[in-house]
Amino acid sequence: MAKKKLVTIPSRYVRDDQDRSIASSNNIQVPVVDMQRLINASDHDSMNLELQKLHFAAKEWGFFQLINHGVNCSVVEKMRDETKKFFDLPLEEKNKFEQSPGDTDGFGQLFVVSEEQKLDWGDLFYLKISPPHLRMPIFSKLYLSLRETIEEYSEEVKELSMKVLKELGKAVGIEEEEVKSVFEEGMQSMRMNYYPPCPQPELVMGVCPHSDACALTILLQVNQTEGLQIRKDGIWIPILPLPNAFIVNVGDAFEIFTNGIYKSIEHRSVVSSEKERISVATFQSARLDGELGPANSLISAHNPPLFKKMGVTEYFRGYFTRELVGKSHVDTMRITTTEDDLKNVN
Ligand SMILES: O=C(O)CCC(=O)C(=O)O
Ligand SMILES: [Fe+2]
């Protein structure tokens, strides 16, 4: 669909079921966290202050912008350039990386589970990156400049994600070893999003409301264009991306791991009539041969688990075989207390 000059919107893209109202003021913005302060052990006071800020951001917002993140600027620039170049390729070139039916990796659309399902106004390119044995054949078909850039960028982002996850763990009292054991060799994947301008943006959605299945998402706004909105207390808030910052959000797996202290937040992206928009989301998840459930360090008689424990592979199977609708997936892991359970307690 990218780059085609359409005048009317094909009906499969029309989303008349969406509430499009947004917060009335631009003054409400997600918190900004400074990574350098967070890890600068020589200044304990400002480190603790920043940890409190991070805790507040993850607990109350599930989203924040991360500045001084330490990822090499030239690597980020290369990632921006390569992503733009990829989506600028002629369609037949991009189609060489097309998703095969039933597969999530490749160029196309995600989560299309039926012929009738509505479509998002955007193209995407999804790749599993790490550990390397998860890479699909498409990965080795990437031309050199794109593959090298993705490898370099994702390696740095993985390090950053682990640092942030450990800090978040610290803020709620989860031992670092436990964070590492679940997430360090975890699956890392990447979704490059391209949203072309749309003649009637009020009829479509770039990405419909969803939460991310992973533990942590590091989002790069490639061309600094607005469009991402997050749902806080029922109100959609547009995010104004800061230059040189990443937008970071808590995913479903970390909501489960923190036993609900941090929550994954629904977000969506809207499109514009004039400008294209490009973003790169890098997802850090749990290791596939492990289990996902509330962290042992948090659970006690006073703090019973709110979520079931489940094999990580099974957890993802559930996510990818459903249409992406809000936070429906994390709800399937919730332990529901029935009246019978309550009778047993009393
Ligand atoms: O394009 C964006 O800013 C958000 C994309 C997103 O939510 C995703 O890829 O999961
Ligand atoms: Fe997302």
Side-chain angles (χ1 to χ4, degrees):
M1 183 181 66
K3 314 269 174 188
K4 272 194 200 161
K5 295 270 178 286
L6 289 172
V7 185
T8 52
I9 311 297
S11 63
R12 270 195 89 181
Y13 290 92
V14 174
R15 316 289 311 226
D16 36 24
D17 51 343
Q18 301 291 318
D19 162 23
R20 286 164 193 278
S21 57
I22 56 169
S24 51
S25 153
N26 253 349
N27 294 336
I28 329 166
Q29 278 299 303
V30 297
V32 177
V33 175
D34 186 329
M35 191 69 204
Q36 215 138 42
R37 281 203 196 152
L38 207 52
I39 55 176
N40 178 8
S42 63
D43 184 349
H44 266 267
D45 288 347
S46 83
M47 197 167 94
N48 282 336
L49 220 61
E50 211 58 25
L51 190 65
Q52 282 172 28
K53 240 174 157 180
L54 176 76
H55 177 65
F56 173 82
K59 192 165 185 300
E60 302 301 325
W61 287 83
F63 259 87
F64 51 94
Q65 300 211 47
L66 191 63
I67 56 170
N68 296 322
H69 47 66
V71 174
N72 190 316
C73 293
S74 68
V75 174
V76 176
E77 273 322 297
K78 264 201 270 181
M79 190 65 215
R80 287 186 208 274
D81 287 349
E82 287 295 331
T83 313
K84 281 189 222 159
K85 265 202 262 170
F86 174 79
F87 285 117
D88 263 340
L89 290 174
L91 188 59
E92 49 298 359
E93 287 299 312
K94 285 182 287 208
N95 276 342
K96 289 185 181 158
F97 305 102
E98 198 177 14
Q99 288 165 338
S100 2
D103 203 354
T104 50
D105 281 51
F107 173 69
Q109 289 246 351
L110 206 60
F111 301 109
V112 182
V113 293
S114 77
E115 289 282 325
E116 300 80 53
Q117 189 186 321
K118 294 280 184 180
L119 297 178
D120 290 338
W121 190 264
D123 290 334
L124 67 86
F125 192 19
Y126 178 83
L127 294 167
K128 290 195 274 299
I129 293 171
S130 177
H133 69 87
L134 295 178
R135 292 178 185 174
M136 302 303 277
I138 278 184
F139 199 95
S140 51
K141 286 209 285 180
L142 299 174
Y143 45 92
L144 195 63
S145 60
L146 181 60
R147 194 176 75 221
E148 282 184 347
T149 303
I150 289 177
E151 280 176 329
E152 223 178 328
Y153 175 80
S154 60
E155 195 53 42
E156 292 221 17
V157 169
K158 189 193 326 179
E159 265 176 48
L160 176 64
S161 305
M162 283 313 299
K163 279 188 200 152
V164 175
L165 286 173
K166 285 178 203 164
E167 293 297 321
L168 288 168
K170 183 161 126 190
V172 292
I174 304 176
E175 282 161 28
E176 187 170 313
E177 280 312 309
E178 198 174 2
V179 176
K180 276 163 68 176
S181 69
V182 179
F183 300 106
E184 192 146 75
E185 299 300 321
M187 177 169 84
Q188 187 194 33
S189 61
M190 182 183 273
R191 178 176 159 164
M192 291 167 261
N193 297 294
Y194 177 86
Y195 311 100
C198 176
Q200 289 173 288
E202 66 290 351
L203 293 183
V204 304
M205 263 302 151
V207 179
C208 273
H210 67 281
S211 59
D212 298 337
C214 61
L216 196 78
T217 305
I218 307 260
L219 188 65
L220 172 66
Q221 299 291 328
V222 171
N223 58 349
Q224 292 299 118
T225 311
E226 275 175 51
L228 175 66
Q229 301 182 344
I230 71 167
R231 189 161 172 222
K232 178 163 169 52
D233 306 326
I235 296 171
W236 287 101
I237 299 177
I239 299 214
L240 308 174
L242 295 173
N244 305 319
F246 285 123
I247 297 170
V248 180
N249 66 277
V250 171
D252 296 345
F254 212 63
E255 171 167 345
I256 293 166
F257 189 66
T258 60
N259 204 28
I261 300 177
Y262 296 147
K263 291 187 180 54
S264 65
I265 296 294
E266 276 183 77
H267 51 286
R268 68 184 182 189
S269 85
V270 298
V271 302
S272 114
S273 56
E274 287 125 42
K275 283 195 269 178
E276 62 181 19
R277 184 167 163 267
I278 306 174
S279 66
V280 177
T282 310
F283 307 111
Q284 184 67 36
S285 303
R287 54 188 299 158
L288 291 183
D289 57 359
E291 284 197 318
L292 178 64
N296 294 331
S297 358
L298 288 181
I299 298 307
S300 66
H302 300 292
N303 193 8
L306 301 177
F307 300 92
K308 296 174 239 180
K309 226 182 184 80
M310 174 183 288
V312 176
T313 316
E314 189 191 344
Y315 167 77
F316 276 111
R317 202 175 301 126
Y319 188 74
F320 282 109
T321 49
R322 300 161 67 94
E323 186 179 347
L324 198 52
V325 183
K327 287 189 62 170
S328 54
H329 181 57
V330 73
D331 287 338
T332 63
M333 300 259 309
R334 223 173 275 283
I335 295 173
T336 43
T337 316
T338 63
E339 274 184 32
D340 280 348
D341 294 334
L342 289 175
K343 265 185 228 145
N344 291 338
V345 171
N346 292 334

